[in-house]
Amino acid sequence: MIALFHRPLLFIIVAFMVSVGAVFAQSTQFVSVEPIVRDGRLYIDANADIEVTGELRNAAEKGVPLYFTADLEIVSSRWWWFDKVLVDEQRSWRLSYNVLTQQWRVSVGDLTLPEDTFDDALSFVKHIRGWAVGSTDLFDPDEEYEGRIRLRLDTSRLPRPVRVDAFNSSAWSVMTPWKDFRFSISQPVQKP
């Protein structure tokens, strides 16, 4: 008799988890990826749609720096062996809030920029522009290459006490699924 009540309850729980997972997967993703060739280099412009929970926002407003990392891989397909990895790059952003000056800061490498709000700071992470990932000498003209990119909250770089909370809370698991893209580099136009 008790087993009859558990089956519908189990079905409802599984259906709820699947629907929540589908909503989460749709709300955190890359919208566009555009490889651009300029001055003999390959650059990546990309737009991500990521959702940051209130728990993450509150932690950042209390001075906990948030680290976001974009992972990029570009491969050349080979029928006779494993795919050849041409580019395997990472780019990290540090979002921090200074409680005394009430100012947000976004750091990328050696560059640090001040911002007024958390959303303004996060827009640097969401809208990747001019990411130099390699020389065009790595790529053969008119050959198709496969790439993939993802964006994630890097919890391994959080302060140790916060890392324990992040490990136990799903609010800290911000990650886009891998976004696949294809491109080719055209032969440069010869000027007479």
Side-chain angles (χ1 to χ4, degrees), residues 1-11:
M1 185 69 154
I2 295 177
L4 292 175
F5 292 114
H6 287 303
R7 284 186 185 160
L9 181 62
L10 180 63
F11 177 74

Side-chain angles (χ1 to χ4, degrees), residues 158-169:
L158 292 171
R160 198 172 296 258
V162 178
R163 215 179 304 163
V164 173
D165 287 341
F167 183 73
N168 293 323
S169 174

Side-chain angles (χ1 to χ4, degrees), residues 143-162:
E143 183 178 329
E144 189 171 71
Y145 295 95
E146 298 174 10
R148 65 185 197 152
I149 187 171
R150 75 173 173 187
L151 182 64
R152 60 189 165 85
L153 178 67
D154 193 353
T155 55
S156 67
R157 298 175 74 179
L158 292 171
R160 198 172 296 258
V162 178

Side-chain angles (χ1 to χ4, degrees), residues 22-120:
V23 168
F24 179 74
Q26 291 173 356
S27 66
T28 303
Q29 63 185 352
F30 266 96
V31 178
S32 65
V33 180
E34 185 179 348
I36 300 169
V37 174
R38 187 173 54 239
D39 301 327
R41 307 247 338 136
L42 177 67
Y43 295 88
I44 297 293
D45 286 355
N47 295 312
D49 184 17
I50 57 174
E51 296 293 325
V52 177
T53 63
E55 184 177 333
L56 228 59
R57 223 178 254 265
N58 289 340
E61 287 172 354
K62 292 178 182 171
V64 175
L66 301 178
Y67 295 89
F68 290 90
T69 300
D71 302 311
L72 174 76
E73 295 176 0
I74 298 175
V75 298
S76 174
S77 297
R78 296 191 282 196
W79 64 269
W80 51 273
W81 197 246
F82 298 111
D83 292 344
K84 181 179 180 183
V85 177
L86 300 173
V87 175
D88 187 6
E89 292 286 324
Q90 290 185 335
R91 185 179 210 182
S92 293
W93 296 265
R94 179 180 188 262
L95 273 63
S96 59
Y97 182 68
N98 188 326
V99 179
L100 295 175
T101 62
Q102 297 182 350
Q103 188 176 46
W104 290 94
R105 294 206 172 272
V106 181
S107 301
V108 181
D110 294 334
L111 178 66
T112 301
L113 300 170
E115 288 298 328
D116 294 330
T117 66
F118 178 78
D119 291 327
D120 291 343

Side-chain angles (χ1 to χ4, degrees), residues 37 136 139-143 145 183-189:
V37 174
T136 54
F139 306 97
D140 294 328
D142 300 323
E143 183 178 329
Y145 295 95
F183 70 98
S184 62
I185 295 177
S186 302
Q187 185 85 311
V189 177

